[in-house]
Amino acid sequence: MGAIIIGNRPGFEFDPELGDLSMRYLIKLRLRLHSLFHRDAADTELDEEVRFHVEHQIAANIAAGMSPEEARRAALRDFGGVESTKEDCRDMRNTNYLHDLAQDLRYGLRMLRKSPGFTAIAVLTLALGIGANTAIFSMVDSLLLRPLPVRDPGQLAVLAFRQGQGQLNDQFSLPDLRDIRDQSKETLSDVLGYMPIGIDGLSHNGEAEPISTTYVTSNYFSMLGIQPYLGRFILPSEGQTSGADSILVLSYSYWKIHFGADRSIVGKSVLLNDHPITVIGVAPPGFYGVQPLASAQAYLPFDMVTTYEFGWPKDLMVNRILQNLHTLARLRPGVSLSNAAAALSVVARRLSAQYPETDRGLALSIYAEQFARPDVASSSTLIKAAALFLMLVGLVLLLACVNVANILLVRATTRDREMALRAALGAGRGRLIRQLLTESILLAFFGGIAGISLGLLGARAIASIQLHRFTPIHLDFGLDWRIFAYGFSAALLTGIIVGIFPALRACRGELNDVLHKSSRSVTGEKNRLRSSLVIIQVAGSLMLLVVAALFAESLANVQRTHLGFDPHNVVNFAMDPSEAGYGETQGLAFYKSLLDRVRALPGVQSTGLTSSTPMSDYFNSDYVKVSDYQNPPGNGLPLVSYSVVSPGFFDTLRIPIVRGRGFTDADIKGGPYVAIVSEAFAARFWPGRNPIGEHFVKVSGFSNPVYQVVGVAKDSRFASLTGPIDPYFYVPLAQDYFLSPLEVLQVRSSLPPDTMIREVQGTVHDLAPQIPLFNIRTMTESLDTLSAFLLFQLAAAVAASLGLLGLTLAVVGVYGVISYSASQRTHEIGIRMALGAQRAAILKMILRQGLVIVAAGLLLGCAAAFVAARLIANLLVGVSPGDPLTYSAVILVLTLAALAACYIPARRAMKTDPMVALRYE
């Protein structure tokens, strides 16, 4: 066993089994690691190594008869340059790039610290751009990109169906869901179902509290692949027989807040809608169900609907008409959506032939879960809106980059001599560019840290906005790896973008030319690149302002929309007597007494009850068969929404009855079933005819009563503020209590809302203290939902914020380039003034330069804005993408702002002293 000698010191011992190449690799690896983590020690060893070889050669030369001086000179000549040899040795370690990077970072930090004003402005500018991007991306991530916290979320898909040319529906009956699951096992490993979240009353300490519940099929938790935090989940054997399994799973957050994280709650009995039920488990933290935005607080087997929800038919488990289950399917590994869709088309044809009464013309479709949020009907609109706002904030970041790049270009111009001297001392072009890029990336890094923080604060502020939904919501705009990766990538890309042009500009000059030029000749060169960047800023700002103006005008149009009802001076109170165990007789008696007492309160003008308030997330809908109406061949029955209301409802919302009569106290159970239809309902099913006295059947799977039309109400917008108004009808509460024991008391009064709320709360407490009130708010507040005004308000607010930010960046850019240009022309201005030029001429000269830049930006921006407006045309209401008034107003605002930015440096140039300017260097 020998030893390899590196210089004059022993290194690794040689192992013959490894071989020469392996030992050389290990030696190089040792040298690299030693040089990387112990550079000073490695350099000391290298000095000693070189000195040893030189001294050894000197000794050999002296032994050969040379004098000491000759021996030393000959040894150095034979050895070559000592320092160059050391550099060659360092290069062989392949670690210099890391040390060069560290050196660049230290130097870059010193340069940024040397100019704190510039650093602060650049970091703030980039922070605003990156912050806006982070805020919008965090919302897009939460709503569209973030997978559900379940096993293999990428395999999840949503099912939907269409019958003939009918509308797309994503709710199935339980028998159809079971058939689809059983007949598509080759492509789908499982299919679960869940009912949309509803509100029930849970009592543990004698007082009922509202709780959002969702009824699920027995494979819900097993298919999702999640484990309980406490207890157990629903077993496959449970939930198969109607009303057989009185069990409940609590969400982690509800258990922690309402039960004080009491672990002994598992196995205990509580009351749900005054019926006993056993808590069997607690879901894991972070799981809020699978319904987008909604937060489920309890999970029950689907078969328990008939026990805990009032009026459901006992044949629920086999009824194909009752379509109330949303679905999630799990693709088998290796199966694509297209393969699954092909298999489902075969299943659809089979079900259509087997059950023509309910499934005629059935066509099944399947969508990736993340691209079916919040539902399959509106997912495309949400995706387009997300893409639009990501594009807008990307444009804001581009404008911020252009601003910082302009500043860096000025700095690069002033550093020409520095770069030339560094090149003269041996620095290569790549080394100089890398140094300047390091400085810009450091700027972007600090801007990214600040921007991510600002973005998360902005996202949380948006998440705190009240959405006024019946059911609790869950918005999580917190930091996860996607947001961090997005912010970091944006910062890195920003650093490269803002740094590359200044770096190339600083390193392109010839060494001798730069060293011999005066500062005037260097800084006096025309820089068209900076002007081009400002043109881009003006164009981008105009595009942002046009989009913001279009959204603002769209919001104004929506707010002027005729709703068909009067929401002012109305307060809503939601309640459900079944949560206190009230049956139909008790519930109707409670509602009658409540209406009588509330009408007697001072200041009350009218009051009524309804099961569905406009633009809410809680509504009723059923299929209808209309007398003398021929359904299009191959289509299923029309699905129509409706409300269960009391007498006084139409007067309270001031919805006119244009034909026939309204409901009265004579419309009670046992009498003829009556209904009031909307104008759209009458126009669709009885066009050109008087609908009074006509009949239709509501095919609900309950009793399928035949309704006689006794009145026609003016059309009202219940579902959406835009688009055509769909058919709608109303049925009396006294005849159809089982359809909706959950009602909203609506009170129109001349009193302030706070006073009215206290009076009604006291009245309800006196009548039935065990019935909880929830969703108490004014009618105007109830319209601030994502289905109504809130979505347009958010879009307009975000677009306006981005537009103002873009305008600010454009004004700063115009001011910067004109101010810098004026300073470059100081000597020229002095000559002009010395030759007799008037100050007005100087002012005109500087303003002309600014106006040329602004005009070019406006032309480019108009073209870009028109393209962007066409892309968002379907998101606008009552606004043309090429609206000339909008473009004219934006151009005027931007032109005035740019002129103001140009006037300041122009005025400064106009006041230049000719004698000072002639000596300006």
Side-chain angles (χ1 to χ4, degrees):
M1 187 76 67
I4 291 181
I5 303 299
I6 302 177
N8 61 341
R9 289 170 301 281
F12 289 106
E13 292 189 349
F14 179 75
D15 187 346
E17 295 182 2
L18 291 176
D20 184 60
L21 290 177
S22 298
M23 283 304 300
R24 288 183 181 180
Y25 175 77
L26 289 175
I27 291 170
K28 289 182 179 179
L29 179 62
R30 172 186 176 275
L31 285 172
R32 289 173 184 171
L33 292 176
H34 185 63
S35 299
L36 182 60
F37 297 106
H38 305 282
R39 182 175 177 86
D40 293 339
D43 285 344
T44 301
E45 291 176 3
L46 181 59
D47 290 340
E48 294 175 358
E49 190 83 21
V50 172
R51 188 182 306 111
F52 168 78
H53 285 289
V54 172
E55 290 175 353
H56 181 76
Q57 187 61 42
I58 291 173
N61 290 343
I62 292 175
M66 294 183 184
S67 64
E69 292 77 7
E70 291 178 351
R72 182 175 182 82
R73 190 163 48 249
L76 292 175
R77 184 181 63 248
D78 294 339
F79 189 81
V82 173
E83 294 302 324
S84 62
T85 301
K86 290 181 181 180
E87 285 300 320
D88 291 340
C89 292
R90 293 189 184 100
D91 291 340
M92 291 178 65
R93 300 171 184 170
N94 291 331
T95 60
N96 278 355
Y97 65 94
L98 292 175
H99 297 291
D100 291 344
L101 176 61
Q103 187 180 50
D104 290 342
L105 289 173
R106 288 193 298 270
Y107 184 76
L109 289 172
R110 286 201 303 269
M111 292 298 295
L112 297 181
R113 189 168 60 247
K114 183 179 177 182
S115 305
F118 154 75
T119 302
I121 292 174
V123 168
L124 178 60
T125 301
L126 294 177
L128 291 174
I130 295 174
N133 275 264
T134 303
I136 298 300
F137 181 80
S138 64
M139 291 187 288
V140 174
D141 172 58
S142 177
L143 296 175
L144 290 176
L145 302 180
R146 190 173 302 176
L148 293 173
V150 301
R151 172 175 54 86
D152 297 329
Q155 295 178 350
L156 297 181
V158 173
L159 301 180
F161 71 91
R162 193 189 304 271
Q163 289 186 265
Q165 301 301 315
Q167 63 189 35
L168 194 64
N169 193 352
D170 60 356
Q171 295 190 60
F172 293 77
S173 67
L174 180 62
D176 279 343
L177 185 150
R178 285 174 170 170
D179 286 341
I180 293 169
R181 180 184 61 197
D182 294 340
Q183 297 180 32
S184 57
K185 290 185 178 296
E186 293 184 359
T187 55
L188 304 178
S189 60
D190 207 351
V191 181
L192 64 81
Y194 64 93
M195 276 186 62
I197 292 175
I199 301 294
D200 291 296
L202 184 70
S203 178
H204 176 54
N205 51 8
E207 183 176 349
E209 294 180 336
I211 184 172
S212 65
T213 56
T214 182
Y215 291 84
V216 302
T217 54
S218 58
N219 63 334
Y220 181 85
F221 293 104
S222 60
M223 197 199 90
L224 295 177
I226 60 176
Q227 300 300 318
Y229 181 79
L230 286 179
R232 67 175 179 86
F233 285 146
I234 302 169
L235 300 175
S237 59
E238 296 170 326
Q240 303 301 318
T241 305
S242 182
D245 303 297
S246 298
I247 55 178
L248 172 76
V249 175
L250 293 172
S251 73
Y252 178 85
S253 59
Y254 191 89
W255 166 72
K256 189 174 182 179
I257 295 172
H258 294 270
F259 289 93
D262 180 12
R263 303 177 74 90
S264 64
I265 190 63
V266 175
K268 291 186 177 180
S269 179
V270 296
L271 294 179
L272 184 71
N273 295 347
D274 210 39
H275 295 282
I277 191 169
T278 302
V279 177
I280 62 170
V282 176
F287 182 74
Y288 299 91
V290 297
Q291 192 171 345
L293 295 180
S295 176
Q297 296 172 328
Y299 308 87
L300 297 86
F302 180 65
D303 68 285
M304 298 309 299
V305 172
T306 57
T307 302
Y308 296 104
E309 303 296 331
F310 189 83
W312 284 80
K314 296 302 180 182
D315 65 345
L316 172 70
M317 308 297 282
V318 295
N319 192 320
R320 291 185 182 271
I321 298 176
L322 290 176
Q323 297 169 334
N324 42 40
L325 281 172
H326 293 280
T327 64
L328 268 185
R330 184 175 290 280
L331 297 169
R332 289 192 176 278
V335 174
S336 65
L337 285 173
S338 57
N339 293 337
L344 288 172
S345 64
V346 176
V347 175
R349 288 194 295 271
R350 189 180 299 141
L351 292 178
S352 180
Q354 192 171 357
Y355 306 103
E357 283 294 319
T358 57
D359 295 339
R360 182 178 55 185
L362 184 69
L364 292 171
S365 52
I366 186 169
Y367 306 85
E369 185 275 328
Q370 287 173 291
F371 297 104
R373 302 177 185 177
D375 55 66
V376 294
S378 56
S379 59
S380 60
T381 301
L382 180 60
I383 292 173
K384 290 178 182 177
L388 167 68
F389 283 102
L390 283 177
M391 180 188 72
L392 293 180
V393 294
L395 182 57
V396 169
L397 181 57
L398 176 61
L399 298 183
C401 291
V402 169
N403 244 356
V404 176
N406 260 330
I407 299 174
L408 289 176
L409 279 171
V410 176
R411 281 171 58 86
T413 301
T414 61
R415 295 177 68 180
D416 278 350
R417 286 177 174 271
E418 175 197 342
M419 295 297 109
L421 289 173
R422 289 167 66 90
L425 294 175
R429 179 183 174 88
R431 185 76 168 83
L432 296 177
I433 293 176
R434 190 172 64 194
Q435 172 62 56
L436 293 176
L437 279 177
T438 301
E439 294 178 24
S440 65
I441 290 174
L442 279 173
L443 275 177
F445 175 75
F446 294 131
I449 293 175
I452 291 175
S453 302
L454 288 175
L456 291 178
L457 289 176
R460 287 169 185 165
I462 295 175
S464 66
I465 296 174
Q466 290 293 327
L467 299 184
H468 299 141
R469 290 170 59 102
F470 260 80
T471 55
I473 64 169
H474 172 70
L475 291 176
D476 182 12
F477 293 158
L479 181 67
D480 69 0
W481 71 267
R482 277 173 297 275
I483 297 175
F484 178 79
Y486 181 86
F488 178 78
S489 300
L492 180 61
L493 182 62
T494 297
I496 295 173
I497 291 175
V498 303
I500 190 64
F501 292 114
L504 293 174
R505 163 67 181 80
C507 301
R508 73 183 180 186
E510 290 293 333
L511 177 60
N512 290 331
D513 293 342
V514 173
L515 290 176
H516 286 87
K517 281 182 180 179
S518 67
S519 60
R520 185 193 313 162
S521 60
V522 173
T523 59
E525 295 174 347
K526 293 182 178 180
N527 196 332
R528 295 180 181 176
L529 177 58
R530 297 194 68 229
S531 297
S532 300
L533 293 177
V534 174
I535 290 173
I536 294 174
Q537 280 187 297
V538 173
S541 177
L542 186 138
M543 188 175 109
L544 288 172
L545 287 172
V546 166
V547 171
L550 291 175
F551 272 116
E553 191 173 348
S554 180
L555 172 62
N557 290 337
V558 166
Q559 291 174 331
R560 290 193 294 266
T561 298
H562 180 63
L563 300 174
F565 58 89
D566 181 7
H568 301 97
N569 303 317
V570 176
V571 182
N572 293 338
F573 305 82
M575 63 195 79
D576 186 353
S578 66
E579 294 180 4
Y582 282 23
E584 181 175 359
T585 303
Q586 289 176 291
L588 287 174
F590 164 75
Y591 279 138
K592 186 177 186 308
S593 298
L594 178 62
L595 289 173
D596 291 339
R597 290 201 182 190
V598 172
R599 287 193 189 101
L601 292 175
V604 173
Q605 298 169 349
S606 61
T607 184
L609 294 163
T610 178
S611 60
S612 306
T613 58
M615 316 300 168
S616 72
D617 58 333
Y618 187 85
F619 60 92
N620 307 86
S621 61
D622 271 316
Y623 295 101
V624 295
K625 290 182 179 179
V626 181
S627 61
D628 300 329
Y629 175 76
Q630 295 297 323
N631 207 38
N635 282 9
L637 293 173
L639 183 67
V640 183
S641 297
Y642 65 93
S643 291
V644 182
V645 304
S646 73
F649 163 77
F650 294 99
D651 291 335
T652 302
L653 284 191
R654 295 178 177 173
I655 300 176
I657 302 295
V658 296
R659 281 189 180 183
R661 66 173 178 88
F663 294 133
T664 67
D665 291 334
D667 298 318
I668 59 175
K669 192 170 184 179
Y673 280 94
V674 295
I676 295 174
V677 301
S678 69
E679 292 174 309
F681 190 105
R684 176 175 177 183
F685 297 112
W686 300 293
R689 295 166 52 186
N690 184 357
I692 304 299
E694 297 289 351
H695 297 81
F696 68 91
V697 178
K698 183 169 63 61
V699 185
S700 63
F702 295 98
S703 57
N704 301 337
V706 178
Y707 290 93
Q708 182 182 20
V709 177
V710 297
V712 177
K714 191 172 183 60
D715 279 336
S716 298
R717 289 195 172 275
F718 271 77
S720 172
L721 290 172
T722 61
I725 298 179
D726 293 325
Y728 205 88
F729 67 94
Y730 310 85
V731 296
L733 175 63
Q735 290 186 344
D736 293 289
Y737 178 84
F738 70 93
L739 293 177
S740 181
L742 188 156
E743 292 281 312
V744 178
L745 175 70
Q746 297 184 305
V747 182
R748 178 177 293 278
S749 78
S750 58
L751 298 177
D754 292 342
T755 303
M756 198 71 257
I757 288 172
R758 287 194 300 269
E759 293 290 338
V760 173
Q761 284 177 324
T763 302
V764 174
H765 188 269
D766 291 342
L767 277 175
Q770 68 274 36
I771 295 179
L773 295 176
F774 56 95
N775 274 54
I776 302 174
R777 58 178 62 98
T778 65
M779 190 68 192
T780 52
E781 290 175 338
S782 298
L783 293 178
D784 286 335
T785 65
L786 292 177
S787 300
F789 295 120
L790 184 59
L791 183 62
F792 294 93
Q793 291 167 352
L794 286 175
V798 173
S801 300
L802 297 179
L804 290 176
L805 184 55
L807 175 62
T808 302
L809 293 173
V811 169
V812 171
V814 171
Y815 170 80
V817 76
I818 299 302
S819 180
Y820 179 66
S821 175
S823 67
Q824 284 183 316
R825 302 177 69 176
T826 299
H827 190 75
E828 175 193 345
I829 292 170
I831 294 175
R832 287 176 179 268
M833 296 183 72
L835 294 176
Q838 298 298 315
R839 291 187 174 185
I842 301 300
L843 177 64
K844 183 178 179 181
M845 179 184 70
I846 300 299
L847 287 178
R848 185 189 301 115
Q849 181 185 2
L851 286 176
V852 169
I853 294 174
V854 172
L858 292 177
L859 288 175
L860 179 62
C862 283
F866 184 74
V867 173
R870 292 295 299 268
L871 293 176
I872 64 170
N874 61 335
L875 301 177
L876 304 174
V877 177
V879 186
S880 169
D883 181 38
L885 289 178
T886 300
Y887 283 76
S888 300
V890 170
I891 290 173
L892 179 61
V893 169
L894 190 53
T895 302
L896 292 176
L899 279 175
C902 294
Y903 179 75
I904 298 174
R907 182 177 176 82
R908 188 187 309 123
M910 183 177 63
K911 293 182 177 181
T912 302
D913 186 340
M915 298 305 296
V916 175
L918 289 173
R919 293 194 299 267
Y920 181 77
E921 188 65 39

